Amino acid sequence: MKILMVSPMDVVELLSELVRFDTTNDPAKGVKPSKECPGFIVDTLSSWGIEAELVEKDGYYAVYGEIGKGKPKLLFMAHFDVVPVNREEWETEPFELTIKGSRAYGRGSADDKGNVASVMLALKELSKMELEGKILFAFTGDEEIGGKMAMHIAEKLKGENNLPEYMINADGIGMKPIIRRRKGFGVTIAVPSERIKLRGVLKERKFKVSTPILETRHAAYFLPGVDTHPMIALSHFLRNSNALAVSLEGKFLKGNVVPSEVTLRYLEPGEGEEVEADMCLTKLLKAIVPLVRAPIKPEKYSDYGVSITPNIYSFKDGKHVLRLDIRAMSHSHKDIESTIKEVVAFNVPEAEVIVSSNEKAGYLFTHPEEKIVKTTLKVLEELGEKVEPVEGPGASDSRFFTPYGVKAIDFGPKGGNIHGPNEYVEIDSLRKMPVIYAEVARRLVRE
């Protein structure tokens, strides 16, 4: 079957324009994307004759539109918001696309503005065709902090009886169709400070992240036994010494981003000066090891099992607060809550535990024999890419549509350093993306 030809010549240029918009989402600092980037998307689509609307909800923006007529067959979705950057770790300017050899570096190049650019160009070609059904599209600005815009769009389409049969969530990596993704849960553990004065030697030790195989800071990609998490290493240190925690500082960015470095100030009891140690902070940090090994039982199989990572620590209003990121093939947080509370009760009985999740979100679990999967694999094979469907480590906005019966995959170009410094997309892979998206869409809508 002949592949629909889409000129990829503008995809890198378009990505460059998108990367220039600082669309960082960092609620802890009150930072959110402005309407400049989604406005640019609307204006660009409009210049190609594609109508789209700017949607605002709670100060966050999305772009939504439809092409074609008749029954809604397919939804394209991607996101333009990005995670914060630690500029000290970057070798290039994060918000300028920098070409080095076969790679294009910049925040959002792989997650997820490369996909935004590719879907936009695919829509440009598809809009010129007589489609046998509608193609819906949405670009959201809050995926990195929970995806309420995607949830709002899913609910709206459900209410209007306008849900599509299929969904390509352009928020993947590796140029392989992702058919399974776990659901994310957040856990907050808070304990009041309990300071006591003891004699000893005040010391300091730094713990750094290590990802020797796959360079990423995304918590869902963290692999125990291969990677080193600084907070887990710190906990292991305290559990195997008589040290007492005094204070903790670190390069904490976001709930699902592994901190690059943490610094523990601690007291080694014995002869020396009088130092104020914090007993509850010590217990909280020592509890990290059993917490990340908590026996949470999922509902369905996952290649990655259950992931638990401690990525945020803060001290506020006299309380030490630890936040865990949990990924599991589970819908409800009740079993997770009871398991975590049991671990906490044994280790830090003074602590309060809050488990949060979006009950309207599910997980991605699409059968490999579904038409959307087989069609994507066929198009990839015709383009010389022989791949198999895989599971993705992190969650995505497809989880808001799968509970309604939408058959979905996540997909994206080859790249690396997701959520980390020096994020990049492979240019040859990126140039194929508009072609792949347009051709898969054409076949699904036609059939």
Side-chain angles (χ1 to χ4, degrees), residues 97-315:
L97 195 69
T98 303
I99 308 298
K100 288 187 177 182
S102 61
R103 296 176 174 179
Y105 292 85
R107 176 56 91 220
S109 56
D111 183 21
D112 188 41
K113 291 178 178 178
N115 272 314
V116 173
S118 298
V119 171
M120 289 174 68
L121 288 169
L123 291 169
K124 180 180 181 181
E125 296 302 318
L126 290 164
S127 67
K128 302 172 185 177
M129 300 171 54
E130 289 292 330
L131 301 172
E132 299 177 25
K134 281 195 297 188
I135 295 177
L136 320 179
F137 61 89
F139 304 103
T140 63
D142 68 342
E143 191 276 342
E144 296 292 1
I145 59 167
K148 287 187 177 180
M149 291 301 299
M151 181 182 73
H152 169 69
I153 292 168
E155 291 177 332
K156 186 172 185 294
L157 294 177
K158 171 68 174 176
E160 297 171 349
N161 197 30
N162 198 35
L163 280 169
E165 186 175 357
Y166 303 110
M167 175 184 189
I168 296 177
N169 185 46
D171 188 15
I173 194 74
M175 247 171 84
K176 298 177 181 179
I178 296 171
I179 60 173
R180 294 192 304 273
R181 281 191 189 269
R182 300 166 295 172
K183 182 175 177 176
F185 301 82
V187 176
T188 301
I189 304 171
V191 62
S193 176
E194 183 187 339
R195 297 186 180 278
I196 62 170
K197 290 183 178 181
L198 295 170
R199 290 193 175 276
V201 180
L202 182 63
K203 294 187 175 182
E204 183 176 290
R205 181 165 179 174
K206 293 184 186 294
F207 299 86
K208 296 185 177 183
V209 69
S210 174
T211 52
I213 305 301
L214 181 63
E215 180 60 36
T216 178
R217 299 292 163 77
H218 197 308
Y221 290 77
F222 178 80
L223 186 60
V226 176
D227 302 326
T228 300
H229 194 298
M231 292 288 282
I232 300 174
L234 177 157
S235 178
H236 191 48
F237 164 72
L238 286 176
R239 293 175 68 87
N240 288 277
S241 70
N242 64 345
L244 300 173
V246 174
S247 64
L248 176 66
E249 295 180 347
K251 296 178 179 178
F252 303 108
L253 290 179
K254 188 170 175 284
N256 65 353
V257 178
V258 176
S260 61
E261 178 182 296
V262 299
T263 302
L264 174 69
R265 295 179 74 238
Y266 64 94
L267 173 67
E268 197 171 81
E271 294 184 1
E273 62 182 21
E274 196 171 64
V275 177
E276 202 173 58
D278 197 312
M279 302 306 292
C280 279
L281 175 60
T282 302
K283 286 193 282 187
L284 179 64
L285 296 177
K286 290 174 74 172
I288 287 174
V289 166
L291 280 167
V292 299
R293 298 164 68 90
I296 293 170
K297 186 178 180 180
E299 297 169 9
K300 285 184 178 289
Y301 169 78
S302 166
D303 290 349
Y304 299 93
V306 176
S307 298
I308 307 174
T309 51
N311 303 318
I312 294 287
Y313 161 80
S314 61
F315 182 71

Side-chain angles (χ1 to χ4, degrees), residues 356-398:
S356 58
S357 70
N358 190 326
E359 293 301 317
K360 295 182 179 180
Y363 46 74
L364 176 63
F365 209 92
T366 301
H367 196 281
E369 291 299 312
E370 288 288 353
K371 184 185 292 185
I372 187 170
V373 181
K374 297 180 75 172
T375 299
T376 304
L377 292 174
K378 181 65 174 174
V379 170
L380 287 167
E381 184 179 6
E382 292 173 11
L383 289 170
E385 300 284 342
K386 183 70 173 176
V387 300
E388 297 292 332
V390 297
E391 179 177 337
S396 73
D397 281 344
S398 56

